[in-house]
Amino acid sequence: MSGVNEIRSAFLNYFAKHGHEVVPSSPLVPRNDPTLMFTNAGMVQFKNVFTGVEKRAEPRAVTSQKCVRAGGKHNDLDNVGYTARHHTFFEMLGNFSFGDYFKELAIELAWNLITKEYGLPKERLLVTVFSEDDEAFGLWKKIAGLPESKIIRIPTSDNFWQMGDTGPCGPCSEIFFDHGDHIFGGPPGSLEEDGDRFIEIWNLVFMQFDQVAPGTRNPLPKPSIDTGMGLERIAAVLQGKHDNYDIDLFQALIRAIADLTGADPLGEQKASLRVIADHLRASSFLIADGVLPSNEGRGYVLRRIMRRAMRHAQLLGAREPLMWRLVWALVREMGQAYPELVRAENLIEETLRLEETRFRKTLERGLAILDEKSSSLKKGDMFDGETAFTLYDTYGFPLDLTQDALRNRGIGVDISSFTDAMDRQRAKARASWAGSGEAATETVWFGLREKLGATEFLGYETESAEGVV
Ligand code: ATP
Ligand code: MG
Ligand code: MG
Ligand code: MG
């Protein structure tokens, strides 16, 4: 059984052996794409190479890329703690061909890695192909020897990747692992596919066309390959676990939290332990890459993640700031692979400590209000958006924190009255500030907020389309 660190190295070494340049992870704040909130896939740092704007000396690359999916198009924040396979921060292992090899070698390399190097039993694997991609279908049959019943044709956009409205695009093939019939869920494309039985581990994207205009697609002269495999998901499989949070890395973090809080990792507080472990990683890596908590943009996503974890720390009975006391455990687990964590250790601790110290001042009172105002609600009811706004505005509760707090009782939040309250507040503030000496600055500020839209703190739909594998 190998640990996460060995599984990562084995991936990088395998592709290095097959002629791939080992390229370091790029930062979580994309350098070449201001429209993208966070790096959310391995291909992000190579976007310009795929479009032909940039040339690389080496036509093959392999990476383990830090990714955050907590805003924009790919937002897995609400899944964390509830599914076995989603994190806000995760590592995406990927191999890339820039106009070099294509489908056949990509499938062969992937198949040999998982079945030979990693030794996964073939009977537990199945794959999907885009419904029109007969070539991939044939290659899986030939190379992997999979029966046709385990090569599933999918007609939806899940199996067709596009960088944006125009630009490189193409079909993809996903590899799934069957965790066993004692776990709920059906194969991809089936009615119960949302369960945790069949887990997508690896996505192979075949960049084959150039979308020049809606409806017009030309074949690329030199097709490319972009793949992404979640390190935590393959680690779960290799460690014989059915849940990402049961792998060595997460168990070490969860133990550290349990030691400080006395929570039982197998008891009712399991979800809180997971959320804290996940959010500790996301927050720490974001801070290490230069993001600091603030009230807008990237900094607000970080704040939302931190505060959400802080509410769960409160649920575990923590009476003092907790998050900052966990950083050493993360550095112990991941500092060797990501030295930026070691370098930023003090900054991460201080940022977490300060944020939690401040937030704790209003957290308890906010939670008391939340409890009181929701006490008469039952499953299926809606929590009043005005109160959610007061919690946001006066007590510093990001909307998703309130939603998370009500979720396991099956209660939603009335978003439209929340937005109305926000709009009214904004209009009032604008009126009272007009004429003050700060008017000019405020105009700029409101202009910015306006540009971001009415739901600037909620949606973050500023991300470019499909910046991911
Ligand atoms: P899913 O359907 O399970 O949400 P996805 O199709 O959104 O995954 P891709 O965009 O294809 O994922 O990303 C490539 C790989 O990255 C996935 O096959 C998976 O192994 C991993 N991955 C994606 N999102 C997450 C996440 N939130 N946490 C952990 N791993 C992830
Ligand atoms: Mg997803
Ligand atoms: Mg998927
Ligand atoms: Mg996928």
Side-chain angles (χ1 to χ4, degrees):
M1 197 221 298
S2 14
V4 160
N5 287 317
E6 291 89 62
I7 297 167
R8 183 195 305 106
S9 308
F11 185 92
L12 297 173
N13 292 338
Y14 171 82
F15 281 101
K17 203 173 72 200
H18 288 92
H20 292 65
E21 180 191 6
V22 181
V23 177
S25 171
S26 64
L28 285 167
V29 177
R31 265 188 292 240
N32 56 0
D33 192 345
T35 62
L36 187 66
M37 170 100 12
F38 298 121
T39 301
N40 56 12
M43 63 77 62
V44 169
Q45 69 165 319
F46 301 118
K47 263 189 184 176
N48 288 341
V49 184
F50 286 120
T51 55
V53 170
E54 206 178 290
K55 279 260 164 299
R56 285 186 76 85
E58 300 292 331
R60 299 178 180 192
V62 59
T63 61
S64 176
Q65 174 66 50
K66 299 182 280 188
C67 294
V68 166
R69 292 192 176 183
K73 208 178 166 89
H74 289 268
N75 186 353
D76 288 329
L77 187 59
D78 292 334
N79 289 325
V80 169
Y82 303 98
T83 75
R85 69 180 199 279
H86 286 110
H87 310 294
T88 54
F89 169 93
F90 65 99
E91 286 177 75
M92 195 185 283
L93 303 166
N95 57 294
F96 305 89
S97 151
F98 310 112
D100 188 39
Y101 62 85
F102 197 45
K103 262 179 227 185
E104 179 155 13
L105 189 56
I107 290 177
E108 197 181 308
L109 286 169
W111 186 254
N112 286 343
L113 174 68
I114 54 177
T115 57
K116 295 194 181 134
E117 298 275 322
Y118 286 157
L120 300 188
K122 187 176 148 184
E123 315 76 65
R124 305 286 286 275
L125 295 164
L126 57 164
V127 301
T128 62
V129 297
F130 185 53
S131 47
E132 294 162 30
D133 194 356
D134 295 331
E135 190 188 1
F137 190 96
L139 287 168
W140 280 114
K141 229 169 108 172
K142 184 180 97 179
I143 294 165
L146 284 171
E148 294 195 356
S149 61
K150 291 198 169 173
I151 310 174
I152 303 162
R153 290 179 188 265
I154 306 267
T156 64
S157 60
D158 266 2
N159 281 68
F160 194 88
W161 179 88
Q162 288 175 288
M163 193 181 283
D165 292 338
T166 57
C169 60
C172 46
S173 233
E174 298 192 321
I175 305 175
F176 284 74
F177 185 80
D178 179 359
H179 280 269
D181 57 14
H182 56 298
I183 296 171
F184 171 77
S190 72
L191 284 174
E192 344 70 270
E193 81 169 295
D194 269 352
D196 286 328
R197 176 174 171 186
F198 294 89
I199 299 279
E200 174 190 331
I201 53 174
W202 203 347
N203 188 354
L204 315 182
V205 179
F206 311 126
M207 279 187 214
Q208 192 166 356
F209 307 105
D210 182 19
Q211 186 87 35
V212 284
T216 319
R217 217 174 257 169
N218 298 332
L220 284 170
K222 286 183 158 190
S224 290
I225 291 293
D226 153 30
T227 86
M229 169 155 71
L231 173 60
E232 300 79 1
R233 291 190 193 180
I234 184 69
V237 170
L238 293 175
Q239 295 179 12
K241 309 292 186 195
H242 302 309
D243 190 311
N244 282 14
Y245 290 88
D246 288 335
I247 65 175
D248 58 331
L249 166 63
F250 273 105
Q251 282 304 304
L253 298 179
I254 286 170
R255 259 196 315 276
I257 307 164
D259 283 349
L260 286 178
T261 58
D264 172 7
L266 300 174
E268 273 176 23
Q269 296 170 318
K270 197 167 135 183
S272 290
L273 288 166
R274 290 166 172 228
V275 171
I276 295 171
D278 175 88
H279 291 9
L280 171 72
R281 291 211 308 166
S283 311
S284 302
F285 273 95
L286 285 170
I287 296 166
D289 278 349
V291 182
L292 288 173
S294 77
N295 282 335
E296 53 176 9
R298 297 188 171 108
Y300 194 62
V301 178
L302 169 61
R303 174 160 280 165
R304 282 159 61 203
I305 296 173
M306 290 163 81
R307 293 195 169 181
R308 217 170 196 255
M310 289 162 189
R311 182 184 77 89
H312 284 277
Q314 165 88 7
L315 286 182
L316 297 185
R319 291 287 157 259
E320 297 291 329
L322 175 77
M323 299 290 283
W324 73 283
R325 296 176 64 199
L326 299 165
V327 176
W328 69 272
L330 177 66
V331 172
R332 180 192 61 195
E333 297 303 315
M334 300 190 73
Q336 209 175 345
Y338 295 99
E340 64 269 37
L341 271 189
V342 183
R343 283 198 296 272
E345 188 168 356
N346 290 336
L347 174 70
I348 298 167
E349 284 180 345
E350 276 314 295
T351 308
L352 286 168
R353 199 163 62 91
L354 190 65
E355 180 77 12
E356 199 164 356
T357 306
R358 281 191 190 143
F359 186 45
R360 290 191 69 88
K361 294 206 175 99
T362 54
L363 176 63
E364 235 155 294
R365 276 165 60 215
L367 287 175
I369 294 173
L370 206 156
D371 279 347
E372 188 202 315
K373 298 279 185 183
S374 67
S375 63
S376 62
L377 300 181
K378 44 187 197 322
K379 205 170 171 192
D381 284 348
M382 277 294 180
F383 185 74
D384 167 37
E386 293 273 344
T387 314
F389 180 73
T390 306
L391 288 171
Y392 161 82
D393 196 41
T394 312
Y395 299 92
F397 280 37
L399 177 62
D400 62 83
L401 186 159
T402 303
Q403 288 169 318
D404 186 48
L406 295 165
R407 172 178 166 147
N408 60 7
R409 290 170 54 201
I411 299 167
V413 176
D414 179 356
I415 304 289
S416 79
S417 64
F418 176 90
T419 318
D420 287 351
M422 167 105 73
D423 289 345
R424 271 202 312 279
Q425 156 90 341
R426 198 179 294 168
K428 214 167 82 192
R430 188 188 284 137
S432 68
W433 283 341
S436 86
E438 288 169 286
T441 337
E442 297 311 336
T443 309
V444 173
W445 164 240
F446 277 115
L448 258 178
R449 296 179 99 196
E450 224 75 77
K451 217 170 70 200
L452 288 165
T455 52
E456 76 267 43
F457 294 155
L458 320 177
Y460 296 105
E461 296 303 334
T462 52
E463 195 178 313
S464 68
E466 287 300 299
V468 294
V469 297

